[in-house]
């Protein structure tokens, strides 16, 4: 272990008393009062206030006398399992609020880390902490950070992982790799794109073997990772990867028993490209993945907007899941994902908030609400996508995607103590008619008061305990000078390419890929 510290000691007994505790299988509208006892990193018991009274009193006495034990008086509060943000990229946290009204490929040209080049250590650290901080404040206790390292080296990786270890969030970290460089829309561009613009669009290809070897070296070098950090694997997208790269990832996943996260069918351009390059599989990216052995129980595809009914069935058959990103799908004009069909097929659904530059907010409350509401876009009848389903997707669905069934996603004995305390005095819960529906349709994140990860209180009554927030704000102010300058340079260089990308995007509207994910 180099710069990574195993910084957080195992905590002690922590008793959360008197909260209403959300149970997916219990009364989701009017959850009963329970006491949650955490021992170390795990939930030791969830009991009624009149059970185990002597034990609870002895913990309360210990808490008064020493830091060995701790009690949170949570009467008038709600306890929920921490959310799992199943799709996120920390590289563009600083681009929050910089972009809007751009279709996917134009956005990519402004946000992908390759265009920004090497960043300072201070910037890498600040952006990682800021993204994690926003998550913790919104009750997200686990993140899947699919991160493109630029440069792809050990120092960059260590700075990011050390920041995560410091702030105390749980992270399934994957190094996003690709060896086919060009923007997805490149094959559909008009012929007259100037060479200077084409150079941006084309990018620089990489070597599949070197990408795989780098990942495996990091897995070995950093073993064991600090508590709360674990690995995932991420080819950026099948269409951005050679067969050799995808086979290499599939092999790593098998040998190291790691979950795989990859972008699939986010946009119509990607779908059109799949139709063109996967001829032997009927133009299906999903069949291509299945053929390579990359469509397994451990695979979660991000987006899946343009899946066909047949591909949804294939995904279900192989046990793969979806990380649904309703906000970024809309912000990047990607279309509406067929979530009703996905759920009816029994495919695991997790929810993600995606990049800070195409959602501008790490909020599972927004993602859950949009998940429920968007179903109506294509169907005027009851859709069967209800608040409780959204809460399951944001917790248990995410846990399944991270390969952490039975550990994350519920407040139950034996589960990891990833726990969020919400203030029911907040106006979102006045009057309290249904905890599940008000969590999904009324909560903005304002009610999140205390966040516990792995048994450790990382935010207590809205104060972050692990980092100095004021210091982070001043670090941000200093790194933003360079970041804004570089962003302005990139935006200026992109001006030449944008009209051609928009032309291609417009022409794709009439291109037949066998289905439509736009309304009307
Ligand atoms: Zn993504």
């Amino acid at each position: 272990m180099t710069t990574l510290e195993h910084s957080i000691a195992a905590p002690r007994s922590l008793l959360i008393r008197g909260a209403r505790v959300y149970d997916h299988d219990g009364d989701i509208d009017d959850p009963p009062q329970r006491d949650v006892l955490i021992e170390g990193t795990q939930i030791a018991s969830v009991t009624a206030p009149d059970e185990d009274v002597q034990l609870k009193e002895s913990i309360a006495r210990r808490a008064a006398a020493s830091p060995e034990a701790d009690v949170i008086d949570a009467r008038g509060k709600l306890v929920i399992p921490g959310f799992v943000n199943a799709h996120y990229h920390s590289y563009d946290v600083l681009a929050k609020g910089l972009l809007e009204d751009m279709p996917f490929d134009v956005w990519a040209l402004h946000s992908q880390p390759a265009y920004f080049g090497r960043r300072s250590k201070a910037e890498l650290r600040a952006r990682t902490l800021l993204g994690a901080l926003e998550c913790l404040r919104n009750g997200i206790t686990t993140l899947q950070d699919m991160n493109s390292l630029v440069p792809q080296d050990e120092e960059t990786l260590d700075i990011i992982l050390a920041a995560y270890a410091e702030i105390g969030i749980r992270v399934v970290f994957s190094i996003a790799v690709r060896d086919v460089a060009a923007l997805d829309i490149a094959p559909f561009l008009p012929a007259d794109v100037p060479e200077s613009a084409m150079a941006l669009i084309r990018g620089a290809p990489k070597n599949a073997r070197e990408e795989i070897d780098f990942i495996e070296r990091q897995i070995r070098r950093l073993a064991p990772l600090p508590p709360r950090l674990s690995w995932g694997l991420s080819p950026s997208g099948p269409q951005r990867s050679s067969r050799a790269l995808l086979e290499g990832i599939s092999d790593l996943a098998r040998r190291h028993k790691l979950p795989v996260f990859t972008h699939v069918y986010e946009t119509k351009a990607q779908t059109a490209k799949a139709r063109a390059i996967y001829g032997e599989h009927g133009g299906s990216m999903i069949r291509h993945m299945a053929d390579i052995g990359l469509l397994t129980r451990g695979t979660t595809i991000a987006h899946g907007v343009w899946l066909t009914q047949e591909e949804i069935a294939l995904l279900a058959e192989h046990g793969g899941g979806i990380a649904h990103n309703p906000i970024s799908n809309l912000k990047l004009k990607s279309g509406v994902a067929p979530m009703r069909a996905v759920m009816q097929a029994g495919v695991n659904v997790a929810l993600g908030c995606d990049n800070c530059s195409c959602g501008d907010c790490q909020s599972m409350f927004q993602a859950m609400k949009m998940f429920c509401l968007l179903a109506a876009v294509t169907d005027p009848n009851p859709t069967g996508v209800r608040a409780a389903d959204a809460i399951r997707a944001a917790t248990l669905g995410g846990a399944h995607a991270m390969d952490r069934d039975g550990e994350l996603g519920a407040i139950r004995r034996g589960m990891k103590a990833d726990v969020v305390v919400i203030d029911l005095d907040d106006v979102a819960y006045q009057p309290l008619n249904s905890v599940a529906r008000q969590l999904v349709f009324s909560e903005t994140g304002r009610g999140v008061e205390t966040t516990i990860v792995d048994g450790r209180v990382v935010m207590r009554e809205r104060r972050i305990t692990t980092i100095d927030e004021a210091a982070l704000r001043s670090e941000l102010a200093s790194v933003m000078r360079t970041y804004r300058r570089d962003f302005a340079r990139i935006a200026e260089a992109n001006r030449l390419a944008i009209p051609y990308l928009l032309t291609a995007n417009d022409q794709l509207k009439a291109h037949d890929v066998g289905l439509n994910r736009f309304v009307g």
Side-chain angles (χ1 to χ4, degrees), residues 504-519:
N505 202 53
D506 194 50
Q507 283 175 355
L508 270 167
K509 275 200 301 195
H511 192 93
D512 183 12
V513 294
L515 73 164
N516 181 34
R517 296 292 179 222
F518 296 113
V519 178

Side-chain angles (χ1 to χ4, degrees), residues 1-10 165-166 222-228:
M1 193 107 299
T2 51
T3 55
L4 293 178
E5 293 168 33
H6 294 254
S7 56
I8 300 180
E166 180 182 347
L222 297 172
L225 282 173
R228 304 175 308 280

Side-chain angles (χ1 to χ4, degrees), residues 124-314:
L124 292 171
R125 179 174 181 280
R127 75 184 194 192
T128 307
L129 290 178
L130 181 66
L133 172 66
E134 184 177 5
C135 288
L136 293 173
R137 285 205 166 281
N138 280 328
I140 294 165
T141 51
T142 299
L143 262 179
Q144 202 282 297
D145 185 3
M146 187 191 291
N147 208 322
S148 312
L149 304 176
V150 178
Q152 189 164 284
D153 63 15
E154 293 177 355
E155 185 184 46
T156 304
L157 175 62
D158 287 353
I159 292 166
I160 294 167
L161 295 185
Y164 279 136
E166 180 182 347
I167 197 163
I169 198 166
R170 192 182 298 284
V171 182
V172 179
F173 190 88
S174 58
I175 300 168
V177 290
R178 58 188 295 175
D179 57 347
V180 176
L183 289 184
D184 299 318
I185 206 168
F188 309 100
L189 286 165
D192 59 341
V193 184
E195 180 47 35
S196 55
M198 210 50 221
L200 290 173
I201 292 165
R202 197 186 298 121
K206 290 184 166 183
N207 178 281
R209 191 69 258 161
E210 286 171 15
E211 300 299 288
I212 296 294
D213 288 348
F214 177 79
I215 294 170
E216 186 150 36
R217 269 204 312 282
Q218 303 320 307
I219 292 172
R220 293 188 193 288
R221 179 176 70 90
L222 297 172
L225 282 173
R228 304 175 308 280
L229 301 188
S230 61
W231 291 110
L233 297 168
S234 288
S236 173
Q239 80 284 4
R240 301 168 189 157
S241 309
S242 66
R243 188 175 181 103
L245 184 65
L246 295 179
E247 285 173 346
I249 293 282
S250 173
D251 175 56
L252 279 182
R254 250 191 326 272
R255 283 192 291 111
H256 294 275
K257 298 189 171 46
L258 297 176
V260 174
F261 308 93
T262 186
H263 297 105
V264 169
Y265 286 142
E266 182 169 359
T267 66
K268 189 170 184 184
Q270 294 171 12
T271 313
K273 190 172 176 187
R275 301 290 182 266
I277 65 177
Y278 301 131
E280 58 176 319
H281 296 115
S284 167
M285 202 181 289
I286 293 291
R287 285 199 176 281
H288 179 66
M289 290 174 72
D291 181 41
I292 287 171
L294 204 60
L295 197 66
T296 71
R297 149 78 185 76
T299 301
T300 296
I301 64 169
H303 304 286
V305 174
W306 292 80
L307 287 164
T308 65
Q309 191 62 46
E310 187 210 336
E311 289 172 319
I312 291 168
L314 202 58

Side-chain angles (χ1 to χ4, degrees), residues 87-89 91 146 263 266 302-303 354-355:
H87 188 62
Y88 169 72
H89 310 269
Y91 53 71
M146 187 191 291
H263 297 105
E266 182 169 359
H303 304 286
D354 214 348
N355 304 61

